[in-house]
Amino acid sequence: MAIAREAEPVGSLKEVEDAGLDREDLLQIYRNLLMTRGIEERGHILYKQGKIPGSFYTGRGNEAAAVGVATAMGSEDVGTPLHRDMGVHITRGVEPWRIFAQYMGRVDGPTKGRDGNVHMADDRLGLIAMVSHLPAMLPVAVGCALAFRIREEQRVAVGWFGEGASARGDTHEAMTLAGTRHLPMVFICDNNQWAYSTPSHLEYASEHIADRAASYGFEGVVVDGTDVLAVYREAKRAIEKARAGGGPTLVECMTLRMEGHAVHDDAFYVPKELFEEWAARDPLERFRTWLREHAELSDDEEHEIAGDVKKVLNEAIRRAEESPLPDVDTLLEGVYATPEELETPHHK
Amino acid sequence: MAIAREAEPVGSLKEVEDAGLDREDLLQIYRNLLMTRGIEERGHILYKQGKIPGSFYTGRGNEAAAVGVATAMGSEDVGTPLHRDMGVHITRGVEPWRIFAQYMGRVDGPTKGRDGNVHMADDRLGLIAMVSHLPAMLPVAVGCALAFRIREEQRVAVGWFGEGASARGDTHEAMTLAGTRHLPMVFICDNNQWAYSTPSHLEYASEHIADRAASYGFEGVVVDGTDVLAVYREAKRAIEKARAGGGPTLVECMTLRMEGHAVHDDAFYVPKELFEEWAARDPLERFRTWLREHAELSDDEEHEIAGDVKKVLNEAIRRAEESPLPDVDTLLEGVYATPEELETPHHK
Amino acid sequence: MLLAPEELGNATLGTIVAEKTYLQAISDGLRQEMRRDKRVFVIGEDVGVYGGAFKVTLGFQEEFGAWRVLDAPLAETAILGACTGAAIVGMRPVAEMQFADFISCAWDHLVTVAAKQHYRVGTAVPIVVRLPSGGGFSGGPFHSQNPESSFAHIPGLKIVCPATPEDAKGLLVSAIEDPNPVLFFEHKHLYRRIKAEVPDERYLTPIGKARLHQEGEDLTIVTWGAMVYTATEAAAELAKKDVSVEIVDLRTIMPWDKQAVLESVRKTSKLLVLHEDTRTGGFGAEIAASVAEEAFEHLDAPVRRLAAPDTPVPFSPPLEKAFIPQVADVVRALTELADY
Amino acid sequence: MLLAPEELGNATLGTIVAEKTYLQAISDGLRQEMRRDKRVFVIGEDVGVYGGAFKVTLGFQEEFGAWRVLDAPLAETAILGACTGAAIVGMRPVAEMQFADFISCAWDHLVTVAAKQHYRVGTAVPIVVRLPSGGGFSGGPFHSQNPESSFAHIPGLKIVCPATPEDAKGLLVSAIEDPNPVLFFEHKHLYRRIKAEVPDERYLTPIGKARLHQEGEDLTIVTWGAMVYTATEAAAELAKKDVSVEIVDLRTIMPWDKQAVLESVRKTSKLLVLHEDTRTGGFGAEIAASVAEEAFEHLDAPVRRLAAPDTPVPFSPPLEKAFIPQVADVVRALTELADY
Ligand SMILES: Cc1ncc(C[n+]2csc(CCOP(=O)(O)OP(=O)(O)O)c2C)c(N)n1
Ligand SMILES: Cc1ncc(C[n+]2csc(CCOP(=O)(O)OP(=O)(O)O)c2C)c(N)n1
Ligand SMILES: [Mg+2]
Ligand SMILES: [Mg+2]
């Protein structure tokens, strides 16, 4: 029994303009999608070249969901994106070279080499760095929303979780607190159908994750996560509703994880046909086609954007490789914060 | 939006007989209700007399819910009752004197003085002792159901939780595992409207706790917890459904906690009118009236049962008071189990 | 460096002081901070209308409103996770666990997120978790624990365990000001039993500094929390036999004041480490190991540890009494040490 | 009492042995138990179709079916809580945490329910939790930890940390037979790097007994897990300088073999405690404190501890290398101790 609303795909340019996006915004979204995928593709190559230590994760297939939601956020809003949400970092403005520096464990990554992968965020951009433990950042996001509510600010917190992590108690406690207090909180489920090798039916037993929103006292909506504009529209609705005091929403973005869990995993357990089916719905291709059909994206524009992204990436990798590895003498620094750090809080 | 089914009250004797209870069973239920309340009333007196160390909790108002569910359980079924569920222990056959011994920290209590209150159970009767941390026993109950499923036994596990504890992650994880694996598990929510001083709307934001069952892939039902026969009927349905391979059910028993959280608490925060309203629905009175109207309970029978219960209680307290306090030389014993204990498992 | 008794806290001369229980001192300190700093808010189970299980926040909701004194759902991870989030965006949350025992339900949040966020990404997490802890009243295995040792192994956390009303207030203020997650252990047995003078004005007792509870020459006891009083009684017994015992009240477990302990041990040459928590892997081991290593040449006897035995906290009064270190146990240990 | 190297495990003469990796030894031991005892089942994230993140249970689901090799939801408390329930009604569950780090999410269940149920009510909880742990491959703060010390303070739990393939198999069998909750730490760095002869037949390596990894006269190192190999390399360096180092592989942390350690220290008079986990409040403190107390008269030098510093595990290779004790660090510590 489905309880949540299932969102329609986005049709016309008119509809998009009603949702507050002009053509520049659309091109920026396109650029962000390309940049997101580009970073992860380049990262993958660097990884194979042995330049990235540890393991390596990508969000291939999830670019539209991440970029769509982040585009809907206000500049003062905050969020806790996860390992498939590179698009959120890009959209919020993290400089690509710093991401490569992070991947390679260099001092110019947001964690200065203390952590790897997408375990990072630039808090000046309103993002809070994830931990591995899923979805431990959801209650933290709810806490941000609580602070906004206490201070009566018109700000919203956005928290991400996977359909696998939906099984954990933290997801429930976060939704319970947000729901009982009607906090300005939006929950985004990156539902990519697999949690490592585990299929959805072993993680939850309802039709949709969004169905459970009703039992937390708020709305749930399921959206095609490959349709960046539909994701944007639903996220925008949810965020503005929260901002207006309407309480939380759970937005479930349906995608397929288009690669293995991490690069070591060939995803043998995912049926081939499923990959083929979702490859045909590639979020970048889909948006490119839409832009051509509805927003007159020209060949020239397309090449310009692609060329620009490529240049940024080349330059970013170069710059990241120049960034030094951390000095071992810094190993013991920063276990504890100093009082001065609270004098200039990243966020008021 | 209510999603769960709301159960009807029980009407006729015929209906009850269809549910598998004969007149003897009905009188036994009545006796168990009296015994349950009697134990807690006597316990309260002993506490005031300074004979019970620590604190003291009762389940006044929840007797019918506890006895109703336990009556529906099969002898090979197992359960993890909580601090309002004395009726479960009584119905499963724990000897009252051992409960008083437990209260008083004597060696003949099920925990031999190591733990107090209702933090006890006799595992030979298929009950597993609760811990304070709520609802930490729910995943444990699910594990029993998992074992039954693995071994393909026709047994069912019953797990209790309060509407307050419904907010905790353990509740969610337990329901997720039970739901995704269709385990022979019945969840009982003792919804007594308060969690210590916290009202329900701060613990969950749906109309009913049972509404959430749908998002775990199983059925939810709300029943009047003061109607022992309705509780029995719904628990029986749920248990037999689970036994037949139909998966879990969440049965929510609506009551009011008729006393403070524990004896030190005068429950000033509960509106007086609410107490008055629910006092008029006292589960014992209600069932007595029903027995008189539908099962020809006579004055003689009533007096006989009441007298018998009183005798048992008097004798139980006497015997418990004779039970010694634990010998301090035993303090270090039993932190670890010995291999021999596994030779004769309490439960196959 | 040890602070002598007269230097305690930062109370300046001329301060108005009043006799207060340990509980009142905590309550007053918290109220003062909330009046002073709008960023401070309180969240926990039953802290609002009810004023908390121990009534530390009684009357707070009337004064500060329902959004600064929040009755939380029964969900410890939500409570502490929300504190971390709120702290990151500029609040100064003070959470109450109903009993310290229940912090086990938020272990992951504390060790995984709160403790590591600053080292990993430079994000400060200024939260305080108030933890009514300790036994002595037949609370049984789940309402009597002293879980500080488990946390005292997690870099990034701070842990304070005040023994006196004055320290309780001053350390709470410091904990709220501290830019890190601070676990604030309040010993339940001291709540209403211990009464002493507490300055009315605001003051900070430094985190990480031990307090010289009692000067002595022959033996040192290092301890904290309710055991400070057990130690005091035992020392009085020893004094009758002309053995002079110095008592160092550690006050802070993370970071602990090793210099103060070493200084005392260099003077007395003999050390008893005493705590109410269980022995194996208890924080006493860290202290004993450190002192045995760093004061090796100064020790006239092995460093002794006295702690609860390695069992859960039993409920029944005779068992609980045998479990928690008693004055007689401390006297015995001190006597043995004196005779070594 | 120390077991000499040739007495390792209970492998009788004439046993068929084969070269196996540490990982294969665990896998084989588990498969053997599952074939032998229908009550044994495996549950964890991705242990079924995928064979586990490290492929320890590869092929198990084909052999034993989907109800004895259960792919669990991403819910550690559900996994371990369910193990406890199943154990209470007669099963012998073996859970896998995907990484040891994630056990923090089930801390409450382990310390509150599993560890205390037997002491409180006499209900045995025979569960095994397999924990791929340890660093050395840029896993970062959450895929490299050695969380044994936090648990080694909780009465009711047992903790084993095998270093060799033979011990890994024998201790796993013992853990499954043990009527108590056993945390079984498997060091990830040893999985495929360490290969040695392992008997094919079933045998039990006793829980609670140390293993004399290498005999020596001048100094003792007590350690466990991957650090056994670091210690071995360091000892080889010292041997060049004619300093003879005895290495005691503790194998079990709870209960730890204090007698074996004391016996070695009485012989060598000098002890280095070495572990990969962080220092403050680490289990090394318990060992050092105990030895310093009980072998006080036998020590010619203070007991030294060498451990990771008090920070999260850093990701970047140079930092991680500076974090995890290296052979050179051990050599330095041993040399200092030798020169004391
Ligand atoms: C608490 C916890 N347990 C286990 C893991 C190991 N793990 C990392 S990612 C993953 C699967 C996550 O699935 P999902 O939430 O659907 O996110 P996805 O990776 O599919 O985006 C697992 C089990 C973890 N990170 N956290
Ligand atoms: C994890 C946890 N946190 C806090 C407590 C303290 N506590 C004991 S009972 C209680 C209220 C429980 O409410 P509910 O689940 O509705 O059960 P009720 O007592 O109303 O039957 C609280 C907060 C606890 N037992 N466990
Ligand atoms: Mg997924
Ligand atoms: Mg309740």
Side-chain angles (χ1 to χ4, degrees), chain A residues 162-164 190 192-195:
Chain A
E163 88 293 341
D190 287 336
N192 59 11
Q193 306 185 55
W194 299 87

Side-chain angles (χ1 to χ4, degrees), chain D residues 42-308:
Chain D
V42 162
I43 184 169
E45 292 150 17
D46 309 295
V47 296
V49 173
Y50 197 73
F54 298 95
K55 304 289 182 187
V56 170
T57 54
L58 191 65
F60 278 45
Q61 201 173 63
E62 283 88 332
E63 176 169 353
F64 302 107
W67 284 99
R68 283 185 70 202
V69 185
L70 287 134
D71 275 320
L74 206 170
E76 283 75 10
T77 296
I79 294 170
L80 294 193
C83 286
T84 292
I88 289 174
V89 296
M91 302 296 283
R92 293 290 175 277
V94 179
E96 174 177 297
M97 296 284 101
Q98 196 152 85
F99 283 78
D101 310 68
F102 300 127
I103 200 170
S104 53
C105 299
W107 169 266
D108 177 57
H109 173 76
L110 285 168
V111 310
T112 300
V113 184
K116 297 185 175 55
Q117 204 73 1
H118 189 263
Y119 185 81
R120 290 171 57 239
V121 237
T123 307
V125 180
I127 66 173
V128 177
V129 190
R130 294 187 33 246
L131 296 152
S133 61
F137 50 92
S138 290
F142 304 116
H143 290 75
S144 312
Q145 293 174 92
N146 295 280
E148 67 266 16
S149 300
S150 297
F151 290 98
H153 177 54
I154 309 297
L157 301 179
K158 293 192 177 181
I159 301 173
V160 297
C161 303
T164 69
E166 178 164 353
D167 283 351
K169 176 174 167 180
L171 281 166
L172 182 62
V173 175
S174 294
I176 294 172
E177 282 223 339
D178 200 282
N180 297 287
V182 181
L183 304 185
F184 187 86
F185 285 89
E186 308 172 357
H187 201 291
K188 299 191 292 289
H189 208 45
L190 304 182
Y191 268 154
R192 297 189 155 87
R193 280 198 326 152
I194 297 298
K195 211 170 176 165
E197 296 201 331
V198 177
D200 274 352
E201 64 168 35
R202 181 175 192 267
Y203 60 93
L204 289 96
T205 304
I207 292 179
K209 285 271 167 242
R211 182 180 64 90
L212 185 56
H213 180 70
Q214 172 177 311
E215 276 190 74
E217 299 301 323
D218 303 325
L219 297 164
T220 300
I221 302 185
V222 55
T223 190
W224 58 90
M227 285 293 122
V228 169
Y229 301 94
T230 308
T232 309
E233 285 187 53
E237 290 297 314
L238 272 278
K240 293 180 193 159
K241 301 178 203 161
D242 272 339
V243 179
S244 152
V245 177
E246 177 146 310
I247 301 175
V248 178
D249 171 8
L250 211 50
R251 301 199 291 195
T252 302
I253 306 304
M254 281 263 277
W256 67 288
D257 192 350
K258 187 159 67 181
Q259 288 322 314
V261 176
L262 288 174
E263 200 173 294
S264 177
V265 171
R266 283 193 206 106
K267 179 172 72 173
T268 64
S269 303
K270 290 180 176 178
L271 176 63
L272 175 69
V273 184
L274 169 67
H275 60 61
E276 188 180 317
D277 189 10
T278 55
R279 179 183 170 103
T280 299
F283 198 68
E286 177 63 37
I287 298 170
S290 297
V291 171
E293 179 172 356
E294 299 186 34
F296 186 71
E297 312 273 355
H298 295 273
L299 287 169
D300 287 343
V303 177
R304 296 283 186 213
R305 285 182 284 159
L306 181 57

Side-chain angles (χ1 to χ4, degrees), chain B residues 61-79:
Chain B
N62 198 57
E63 297 91 342
V67 170
V69 173
T71 305
M73 289 169 70
S75 63
E76 295 289 298
D77 296 340
V78 303

